[in-house]
């Protein structure tokens, strides 16, 4: 089964917004074994839409269109559907009832003609119920090709894809099984990772594909198995993930799509009933911000002293002026004192401290731009590491924050 | 002049990565008056690429292709160029010299056959020099249509668009002038903003288009004037921006594309030689992180106390236990003490403090989820405001951080 995705809207064509709808739809279809042939973005011009429909009619089984609905778009998609399917718009009573409920019940205002017009749909279409908005989805068929129109608002589009379209395709069409498994790794760059697992990758069976999904500090590996025997696919994926785990050891942080280092750390600290604080200079509060982005962080995160200015390091963190004079603010000695002092002040089990120069120019010390010292105080010792995270500024801050959390996780794991 | 953009790559078609290259190219072309006809994403299949070329040959003057280069992609774009233009690959000595320099000079390793092959280009093509990478850009013409191939790596693609393609099009093709002006507003939601400027918007001349570009907490308004008389367009834009400024007053934060609230605040504080500190509870270091994301922040940002746990508020910030017992940690009284105390500790002119409940569940107080108190201590007074920022958690944190910076900017402006 092959599909194409059309996005209608000038705002995408002039680069004002990036089309993320197509990617979401593609991912949803790929998961149920539908192959994506093309993604196309075009302007809200009827002739252009019609000629695109005609071209795709011969090429694919399924065309999904987002956008081109609503008064500001002159409901161009609906009108084009009527032309293409030689149909006319009629009022759908169920849609009208739903629109009225939303406008009068939820927004507490009188329904207008524009609202009533949202209940107009081509007479031959199957309406896809949009529980979360006023524009319905529409499903129509010509020859062997199904054309589906969806609103362009992302959360309405997502609702319809997940609750109406995918279930309907799963029931009505035969497709191969696709089994996905994600492996989340931290601390190894993409090329080094590729070298490290080269043999393993070369030995993957043909029906399993591997994708590298890198983002700052981490790489997600995605295994996808495609075939007709679901149980066999699941066993093969599981076997290969096990052998991969042996190679990568604790560089693997998790196996869930939405897992992150900070979520895993939060779970570990909560399980062990341990607490953490940070003393941040060059990271400027970034580590605290990442840790507190997780719900339930108050169970283990006590607080942070962001001692950006040298005087704040002395006055609030109690770093000795002698140390700073002797070793400079960017030094192993100072970062060690920072970690120990914040651990004491906040009465925590662990503490992270950072000091460095994020650039672009040199600050209160002579340290090279990109230099960062990280200290991790544990219940037993203080571990200090020196890095150069290069440039630009925001990357230095991000890399230092992620690296410090990697160090933290590895230490916590030692005590499991 | 009309253009289409093709992206080649399976990773986009299965929704693994979102295509941001097309948006960047579209925006760059739109700025010089080139109209975008279509954006298309297809797999790295030669027949599919060829049929897409043939279709576009009749429709547009310019086709820009990204991706499909390099060994893992089997250099499919180059091979398809040879087929389509009835050409063959030859070694380009200048490209080879550049590749050798990068590999042997920068990466300090021996050049391999795969590297040498990057210097193979169709014999009839004009090479576009890729200063920042090893894959050259290629410019070829058939009939009246120019086809340009670019590497898919975003920063290499961007380098070639900005330094090679746009300058070449500007010289070789006549296009209308397009003048853009951005107006950055904070603190007014998109619909309220639209209502507020409705009359002004309705009175814009036909040749000026207005776009709303909302992101959390702010809306950028982009005016674009298109025509042949550059001076007239500039005057019209300037006149309309002046009248808009009268309506929106100091909700307008700046007029540059890359300006943000934190950059503007940094400039104001530096000019006035004033300093700032923060005491953060529910924002967890987010405000400090935003302020320190600006280079040169050490000129005005002294530090922050992230007092997430109640005990840290008492022990480090010196909040009185009585206040907390009497009013709870989420209260106007406590946030006021937080701001005053951190201002004293850090010896700053301004201080921001936050306390609240970001959710999803209730914490150390009975405050409703979403409740946030913000205090701003100035050299003369303490301003306290209470908000409910709703849900989810990350939005509460973002909204509180942005709102506190809006309050700060308005106070600083009073003293200009």
């Amino acid at each position: 089964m092959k599909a194409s995705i059309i996005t209608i809207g000038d705002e995408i064509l002039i680069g004002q917004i990036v089309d993320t709808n197509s990617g979401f739809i593609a991912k949803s279809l790929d998961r149920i074994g539908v192959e994506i042939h093309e993604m196309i973005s075009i302007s809200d011009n009827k002739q252009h839409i019609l000629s695109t429909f005609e071209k795709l009619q011969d090429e694919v089984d399924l065309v999904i269109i987002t956008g081109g609905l609503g008064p500001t778009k002159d409901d161009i998609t609906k009108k084009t559907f009527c032309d293409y399917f030689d149909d006319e718009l009629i009022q759908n009573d169920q849609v009208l009832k739903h629109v009225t409920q939303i406008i009068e019940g939820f927004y507490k205002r009188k329904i207008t003609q524009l609202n009533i017009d949202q209940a107009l749909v081509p007479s031959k279409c199957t309406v896809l119920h949009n529980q979360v908005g006023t524009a319905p989805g529409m499903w129509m068929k010509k020859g062997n090709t199904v054309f589906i129109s969806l609103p362009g608002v992302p959360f309405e589009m997502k609702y319809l894809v997940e609750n109406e379209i995918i279930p309907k395709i799963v029931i009505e069409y035969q497709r191969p099984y696709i089994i996905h498994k994600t492996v989340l790794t931290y601390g190894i760059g993409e090329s080094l990772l590729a070298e490290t697992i080269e043999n393993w990758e070369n030995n993957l069976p043909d029906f399993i594909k591997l994708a590298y999904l890198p983002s700052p500090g981490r790489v997600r590996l995605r295994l996808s198995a495609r075939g007709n025997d679901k149980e066999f696919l699941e066993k093969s994926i599981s076997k290969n993930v096990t052998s991969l785990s042996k190679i990568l050891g604790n560089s693997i942080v998790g196996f869930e799509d939405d897992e992150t280092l900070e979520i895993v750390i939060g779970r570990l600290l909560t399980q062990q009933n341990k607490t953490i604080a940070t003393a941040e200079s060059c990271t400027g509060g970034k580590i605290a911000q990442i840790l507190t982005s997780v719900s339930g962080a108050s169970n283990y995160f006590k607080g942070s002293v962001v001692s950006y200015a040298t005087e704040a390091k002395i006055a609030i963190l109690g770093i000795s002026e002698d140390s700073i004079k002797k070793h400079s603010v960017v030094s192993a000695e100072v970062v060690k004192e920072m970690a120990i002092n914040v651990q004491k002040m906040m009465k925590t089990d662990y503490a992270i401290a950072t000091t460095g120069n994020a650039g672009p120019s040199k600050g209160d010390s002579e340290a090279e731009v990109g230099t960062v010292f990280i200290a991790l105080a544990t219940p037993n010792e203080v571990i200090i590491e020196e890095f150069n995270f290069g440039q630009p500024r925001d990357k230095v801050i991000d890399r230092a924050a992620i690296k410090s959390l990697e160090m933290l996780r590895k230490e916590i794991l030692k005590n499991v």
Side-chain angles (χ1 to χ4, degrees), chain A:
Chain A
M1 189 179 190
K2 279 167 86 173
S4 283
I5 302 165
I6 303 177
T7 323
I8 295 173
D10 289 337
E11 61 280 15
I12 290 165
L13 285 184
I14 61 170
Q16 219 170 69
I17 61 165
V18 168
D19 166 34
T20 53
N21 282 356
S22 297
F24 178 84
I25 296 169
K27 205 185 282 182
S28 308
L29 292 176
D30 178 61
R31 273 172 201 269
I32 59 163
V34 177
E35 186 189 324
I36 311 301
H37 176 67
E38 273 188 11
M39 293 175 180
I40 310 172
S41 297
I42 55 180
S43 67
D44 27 26
N45 170 294
K46 196 194 260 188
Q47 278 316 313
H48 197 169
I49 302 172
L50 276 177
S51 64
T52 307
F53 282 5
E54 272 155 28
K55 172 178 129 49
L56 294 177
Q57 173 84 56
D58 301 329
E59 295 176 354
V60 295
D61 310 293
L62 177 66
V63 179
I64 299 189
I65 303 115
T66 64
L69 295 177
T72 62
K73 304 280 176 187
D74 194 30
D75 275 328
I76 189 75
T77 306
K78 273 185 198 176
K79 290 178 182 164
T80 310
F81 262 37
C82 285
D83 259 37
Y84 191 67
F85 292 93
D86 193 18
D87 200 357
E88 53 177 0
L89 294 175
I90 58 158
Q91 187 171 295
N92 181 296
D93 293 339
Q94 275 191 299
V95 175
L96 184 60
K97 201 176 147 196
H98 175 64
V99 170
T100 310
Q101 258 170 8
I102 289 187
I103 301 295
E104 303 196 338
F106 186 74
Y107 288 112
K108 309 280 182 207
R109 58 177 175 76
K110 262 321 251 185
I111 196 164
T112 66
Q113 190 57 45
L114 289 179
N115 302 133
I116 294 170
D117 288 350
Q118 300 217 264
L120 291 176
V121 297
S123 74
K124 300 176 202 160
C125 91
T126 304
V127 167
L128 305 173
H129 177 63
N130 178 2
Q131 179 62 33
V132 298
T134 51
M138 290 165 265
W139 172 299
M140 296 187 86
K141 197 164 183 178
K142 188 168 184 172
N144 287 318
T145 304
V146 169
F147 291 77
I148 301 170
S149 157
L150 299 177
V153 180
F155 81 91
E156 297 187 24
M157 175 280 300
K158 284 180 187 172
Y159 175 86
L160 281 161
V161 169
E162 283 171 351
N163 296 284
E164 295 287 329
I165 295 171
I166 297 296
K168 203 163 150 73
I169 293 173
V170 165
I171 291 168
E172 297 185 10
Y173 294 85
Q174 269 212 314
R175 298 139 296 101
Y177 285 106
I178 297 202
I179 310 287
H180 294 290
K181 183 79 188 175
T182 294
V183 179
L184 176 62
T185 72
Y186 272 82
I188 312 178
E190 189 184 0
S191 2
L192 181 57
L193 185 62
E195 273 181 47
T196 310
I197 64 174
E198 194 181 358
N199 272 331
W200 172 85
E201 189 175 348
N202 289 337
N203 286 320
L204 282 176
D206 281 350
F207 59 86
I208 297 186
K209 284 201 172 185
L210 178 72
Y212 289 77
L213 309 173
S215 36
R218 68 181 182 223
V219 179
R220 275 180 213 279
L221 295 169
R222 195 169 69 140
L223 290 87
S224 310
R226 179 189 285 253
N228 295 314
D229 183 345
K230 195 179 167 194
E231 208 180 318
F232 170 73
L233 296 177
E234 279 170 349
K235 269 191 192 155
S236 308
I237 286 270
S238 166
K239 203 185 102 201
N240 281 289
V241 167
T242 305
S243 54
L244 180 65
S245 301
K246 279 182 193 146
I247 301 167
L248 294 178
N250 76 4
S251 297
I252 297 179
V253 165
F255 297 94
E256 301 299 327
D257 265 3
D258 52 0
E259 215 156 40
T260 58
L261 187 51
E262 53 272 24
I263 289 175
V264 171
I265 286 173
R267 201 161 51 219
L268 287 169
L269 288 171
T270 306
Q271 280 165 2
Q272 299 181 24
N273 204 18
K274 301 284 184 200
T275 55
I276 171 95
T278 72
E280 306 187 40
S281 182
C282 63
T283 48
K286 181 85 187 180
I287 303 169
Q289 183 252 311
I290 294 174
L291 286 169
T292 57
S293 70
V294 179
S295 0
S298 55
N299 291 327
Y300 48 85
F301 179 73
K302 293 250 191 133
S304 172
V305 175
V306 181
S307 53
Y308 212 62
T310 299
E311 55 208 89
K313 291 185 184 73
I314 298 165
I316 298 168
L317 271 180
I319 308 302
S320 82
E321 280 194 70
D322 276 0
S323 286
I324 292 174
K325 269 192 199 139
K326 203 165 152 195
H327 306 289
S328 101
V329 281
V330 180
S331 64
E333 289 79 7
V334 167
V335 83
K336 185 179 174 183
E337 273 192 59
M338 288 171 70
I340 292 172
N341 292 9
V342 84
Q343 188 186 29
K344 272 190 207 146
M345 285 168 77
M346 300 272 186
K347 298 193 182 69
T348 56
D349 302 294
Y350 294 94
I352 291 171
T354 60
T355 182
N357 184 356
S361 56
K362 287 192 177 180
D364 276 5
S365 91
E366 282 307 301
E368 282 301 315
V369 170
T371 304
V372 178
F373 286 87
I374 299 176
L376 174 65
T378 74
N380 316 309
E381 58 177 335
V382 185
I383 297 152
I384 300 155
E385 290 200 47
E386 180 180 353
F387 300 91
N388 191 305
F389 292 119
Q391 275 293 283
R393 181 181 178 82
D394 56 336
K395 292 276 179 278
V396 176
I397 296 172
D398 284 355
R399 286 171 189 149
I402 292 173
K403 185 53 74 181
S404 72
L405 294 177
E406 277 175 34
M407 288 168 62
L408 173 62
R409 172 177 164 269
K410 288 200 173 153
E411 280 308 306
I412 304 173
L413 281 180
K414 284 188 188 162
N415 303 315
V416 171

